[in-house]
Amino acid sequence: MAKKQTLVYSPVGGLLVLILPLLIVAFTSNDNEIKNFERLSISHKFQEELWVKFKHFERKMESEVTKLKTKVELLEAKVLEQAELLKECNTCGSTAKMFDNDMPVDHVKNVKPLVKSSLQPKTCLEALTSDPSLESGMYWIDPDGQGRGDNPIYVYCNMTSGSSSILHDTENSTDVDHCFDPGCYSRQIKYNATLRQIAMLAELSNECHQSIQIDCFDAALEFNGIAYAWWDDRNGDERYFWSGTNNNLSSHYHSCQCGLERSCVDKSLMCNCDSDLAIELSDNGVITDKDLLPITKLNFGRTIAPTSISSYKIGRLECSGKVVLNGIPTSCQDLWRVGYVLSGLYSIKGPSSRVETVYCDFSKLPGDEGLQTWIGYDNVKSEPVYFNVGRNTSYSNSGTAMPFEKEILNVGNAFDLSSGTFVAPRNGTYFFAFTSFSEYSYNSFYFSLNVNDVQTTSCYSPMTLYYCHILYTLKLTSGDQVRMFLQQGSTNNALFTGALLEEDVF
Ligand SMILES: *[C@@H]1O[C@H](CO)[C@@H](O)[C@H](O)[C@H]1NC(C)=O
Ligand SMILES: *[C@@H]1O[C@H](CO)[C@@H](O)[C@H](O)[C@H]1NC(C)=O
Ligand SMILES: *[C@@H]1O[C@H](CO)[C@@H](O)[C@H](O)[C@H]1NC(C)=O
Ligand SMILES: *[C@@H]1O[C@H](CO)[C@@H](O)[C@H](O)[C@H]1NC(C)=O
Ligand SMILES: *[C@@H]1O[C@H](CO)[C@@H](O)[C@H](O)[C@H]1NC(C)=O
Ligand SMILES: *[C@@H]1O[C@H](CO)[C@@H](O)[C@H](O)[C@H]1NC(C)=O
């Protein structure tokens, strides 16, 4: 029995299962005619030999099939990899750089048509961009990226606007049952896409919206300060606004389109349906908060009166446009949005407004843990700046900026010896160190470090001490002047050094 099972699992074996009994039957009937024991045993022997041969053949075929399967898998992986590279290169701008890794360029050319046909667009807009002749209709798209994450989704593409619409099961008008408590009636909206794919579509799009229409008769959404109706957002949080965005810090923010326009039948209320009038009313709105959409569940209540009527209809979730980055990317998420798919180290504008290096793991998606790992600050210096100067002759012009004589280092040429002036070439943080000895031990003396002629710090040396040290780190704006002023006494020995520690890049 075990033998048969192993046969059934392989396609070649399956064939044998069909053929073998036929052969056996053929030989058995031959034996019956002859009724000769010897012939019978020879025949059995022959059958056995045949069996062994088939087993051998089967094993060989099985190993061939396995080899072929592996080969196909390898080829598939390679095609996928090249598709990613090609996609990456569409946004990278420098073709040469992408392909000099390990792939000869003519190899890529050969593969191109295959790659093109196997590429799944992330959005309808992407499909339209790559082929402007496409007509509106149902298309497969894969917002979270081909070959990763969830399966592609089947959406309606409006090829005039390039928008992607996600279908769901509540597009037709639906009645609310009669019941009293807040949210006593609820309906889960089933989308023809996973929430993860929807979230990624929103990430990639410039805007998303979903319309909702509520027709009501004596069925308030909110009455006497009690909310009877709400919708659940993408995260399952309750929302009470029925148009626009949740532009109010309160998570219980309640409004409808007429409330936003101050045009509800009862102008003191936020929704038409909230008024207590026994007339047929309706609230129409378009929810535009793409980080909260889609509506995942609708909840209603206070429809207990037999005369009360409430029904609703919600539109497809429609997303359009391409998300625009305002300036320099600030996260791996930003990089993902503009099409980066190769994991690696990237520089971004960090929350500290400094350039930071992060590791982006693009096997993860926006919102996933581990997409971005912080590595550290980038030591950006558009120009290295440091100096080390000294003097060893007498100086006693108190109340003046001390010039220097000897330049040991002056990288960036920010220090002028003759005037003793350092001019900050960039906005940033600078470090300075100054040391000097008094020329005469019986004199007290002191120096000040002046920024734009304003004393910022100083060192005072009384008679018994002969030296004066300053260590100072400060922020400077480009053009700021730093000088050492001798305020009192005299010196014949001084050393002054400074460096740009960190440049303000943004
Ligand atoms: C497609 O988009 C265009 C332009 O926005 C719009 O006029 C048209 O009504 C849309 N078609 C459908 C079927 O939604
Ligand atoms: C909506 O109504 C139309 C016409 O009555 C029907 O053909 C369609 O299947 C309905 N759609 C859904 C999602 O129930
Ligand atoms: C829903 O999506 C599935 C695949 O995810 C697709 O086969 C099916 O046709 C879609 N249904 C509609 C109504 O678009
Ligand atoms: C914010 O929403 C709450 C609850 O609906 C409301 O009481 C408050 O007045 C709103 N604030 C503004 C500024 O609209
Ligand atoms: C002062 O510095 C100059 C040049 O560095 C050097 O030649 C001279 O010997 C030094 N004088 C003293 C007194 O150290
Ligand atoms: C330097 O900082 C000043 C003031 O903080 C600012 O006005 C100026 O734009 C900055 N310059 C540069 C190049 O960032």
Side-chain angles (χ1 to χ4, degrees):
M1 279 293 76
K3 258 183 208 163
K4 233 178 185 167
Q5 264 172 5
T6 52
L7 283 173
V8 169
Y9 283 134
S10 88
V12 179
L15 212 67
L16 281 173
V17 167
L18 289 174
I19 293 169
L20 214 57
L22 290 177
L23 285 168
I24 293 167
V25 167
F27 281 111
T28 316
S29 61
N30 201 18
D31 285 348
N32 283 346
E33 266 173 40
I34 295 151
K35 292 186 171 43
N36 180 315
F37 181 73
E38 229 175 83
R39 288 293 297 268
L40 201 71
S41 74
I42 286 168
S43 174
H44 271 304
K45 217 169 171 181
F46 184 50
Q47 271 186 22
E48 240 169 64
E49 266 171 32
L50 207 61
W51 174 257
V52 169
K53 270 185 188 159
F54 270 118
K55 284 304 284 179
H56 181 70
F57 176 65
E58 182 213 355
R59 269 199 300 275
K60 210 166 141 193
M61 289 309 285
E62 255 175 0
S63 99
E64 283 304 312
V65 166
T66 311
K67 270 189 217 155
L68 280 171
K69 265 188 190 158
T70 316
K71 215 162 177 179
V72 165
E73 260 163 31
L74 280 172
L75 282 170
E76 273 177 345
K78 190 132 196 179
V79 166
L80 213 67
E81 186 185 306
Q82 284 170 352
E84 300 281 40
L85 278 173
L86 203 71
K87 214 190 251 175
E88 169 85 349
C89 206
N90 285 339
T91 53
C92 77
S94 84
T95 322
K97 205 184 157 214
M98 284 315 298
F99 288 123
D100 64 12
N101 302 352
D102 51 11
M103 244 184 295
V105 170
D106 54 349
H107 183 186
V108 171
K109 253 188 221 147
N110 289 341
V111 152
K112 219 172 173 178
L114 182 60
V115 164
K116 200 174 175 192
S117 66
S118 69
L119 266 181
Q120 202 111 61
K122 282 188 174 158
T123 63
C124 294
L125 184 60
E126 199 175 292
L128 179 63
T129 311
S130 67
D131 184 357
S133 69
L134 291 177
E135 308 229 318
S136 297
M138 296 299 295
Y139 286 86
W140 288 95
I141 62 169
D142 200 350
D144 71 3
Q146 186 172 18
R148 59 181 77 200
D150 293 349
N151 289 335
I153 55 175
Y154 199 52
V155 303
Y156 177 79
C157 293
N158 180 335
M159 290 306 187
T160 308
S161 59
S163 70
S164 318
S165 300
I166 309 222
L167 279 56
H168 60 77
D169 66 349
T170 314
E171 288 174 27
N172 290 340
S173 185
T174 310
D175 288 336
V176 174
D177 297 340
H178 293 282
C179 61
F180 181 72
D181 291 333
C184 54
Y185 167 90
S186 69
R187 180 180 168 96
Q188 194 87 35
I189 318 298
K190 289 198 187 72
Y191 289 87
N192 209 18
T194 60
L195 281 181
R196 188 174 155 101
Q197 287 280 35
I198 295 175
M200 292 308 116
L201 176 63
E203 276 287 326
L204 293 166
S205 302
N206 186 39
E207 67 88 29
C208 294
H209 62 264
Q210 190 166 22
S211 65
I212 177 151
Q213 177 178 338
I214 301 167
D215 295 312
C216 52
F217 182 92
D218 188 17
L221 304 174
E222 187 178 297
F223 193 74
N224 273 344
I226 298 167
Y228 286 90
W230 64 88
W231 54 278
D232 291 9
D233 68 19
R234 184 198 294 173
N235 306 310
D237 293 330
E238 295 169 5
R239 301 292 168 182
Y240 301 83
F241 68 99
W242 304 89
S243 197
T245 58
N246 195 31
N247 61 352
N248 177 317
L249 290 180
S250 159
S251 59
H252 279 79
Y253 170 61
H254 174 67
S255 78
C256 290
Q257 187 58 32
C258 71
L260 297 176
E261 293 167 354
R262 295 270 156 218
S263 64
C264 300
V265 284
D266 180 339
K267 293 205 167 43
S268 69
L269 298 174
M270 294 303 279
C271 294
N272 286 326
C273 290
D274 289 351
S275 58
D276 208 14
L277 305 170
I279 46 173
E280 275 184 38
L281 294 165
S282 74
D283 279 301
N284 285 294
V286 178
I287 297 166
T288 55
D289 204 323
K290 77 173 174 127
D291 297 327
L292 301 183
L293 287 172
I295 298 169
T296 56
K297 195 175 176 186
L298 277 171
N299 310 273
F300 292 95
R302 206 173 184 275
T303 50
I304 190 75
T307 52
S308 87
I309 301 167
S310 178
S311 67
Y312 56 88
K313 190 166 131 180
I314 58 185
R316 296 172 179 176
L317 175 71
E318 184 174 0
C319 292
S320 63
K322 192 169 162 30
V323 71
V324 237
L325 284 194
N326 291 317
I328 297 168
T330 59
S331 61
C332 292
Q333 184 164 346
D334 279 356
L335 292 170
W336 182 85
R337 285 171 172 153
V338 294
Y340 281 83
V341 290
L342 295 180
S343 299
L345 291 175
Y346 290 90
S347 287
I348 57 160
K349 177 180 175 176
S352 61
S353 266
R354 283 193 265 174
V355 180
E356 297 178 9
T357 293
V358 290
Y359 173 70
C360 300
D361 177 358
F362 287 120
S363 67
K364 308 279 192 336
L365 289 172
D368 286 355
E369 213 170 297
L371 172 67
Q372 178 171 316
T373 308
W374 193 77
I375 303 295
Y377 295 108
D378 284 13
N379 196 0
V380 176
K381 287 194 178 72
S382 53
E383 188 182 331
V385 179
Y386 39 91
F387 71 90
N388 189 4
V389 296
R391 68 173 293 144
N392 60 3
T393 58
S394 176
Y395 190 76
S396 56
N397 258 347
S398 55
T400 63
M402 187 169 74
F404 288 81
E405 298 161 338
K406 187 171 177 177
E407 183 178 289
I408 300 149
L409 271 176
N410 191 8
V411 173
N413 272 321
F415 199 88
D416 178 58
L417 278 185
S418 61
S419 64
T421 309
F422 173 80
V423 181
R426 301 272 181 245
N427 289 357
T429 307
Y430 293 80
F431 170 76
F432 296 97
F434 173 80
T435 181
S436 178
F437 281 83
S438 174
E439 192 170 22
Y440 306 109
S441 57
Y442 49 83
N443 261 353
S444 63
F445 81 127
Y446 95 83
F447 272 96
S448 65
L449 184 149
N450 289 18
V451 177
N452 299 330
D453 292 339
V454 176
Q455 179 169 328
T456 303
T457 184
S458 65
C459 59
Y460 177 76
S461 180
M463 261 178 269
T464 46
L465 278 174
Y466 312 120
Y467 58 84
C468 186
H469 299 320
I470 290 175
L471 294 172
Y472 211 64
T473 301
L474 78 168
K475 280 212 160 260
L476 295 177
T477 301
S478 81
D480 280 352
Q481 301 189 335
V482 177
R483 297 190 185 100
M484 294 308 306
F485 272 64
L486 175 68
Q487 298 291 9
Q488 191 184 320
S490 70
T491 178
N492 59 359
N493 187 306
L495 198 66
F496 187 27
T497 187
L500 169 60
L501 291 181
E502 199 161 62
E503 187 171 327
D504 296 345
V505 185
F506 302 114

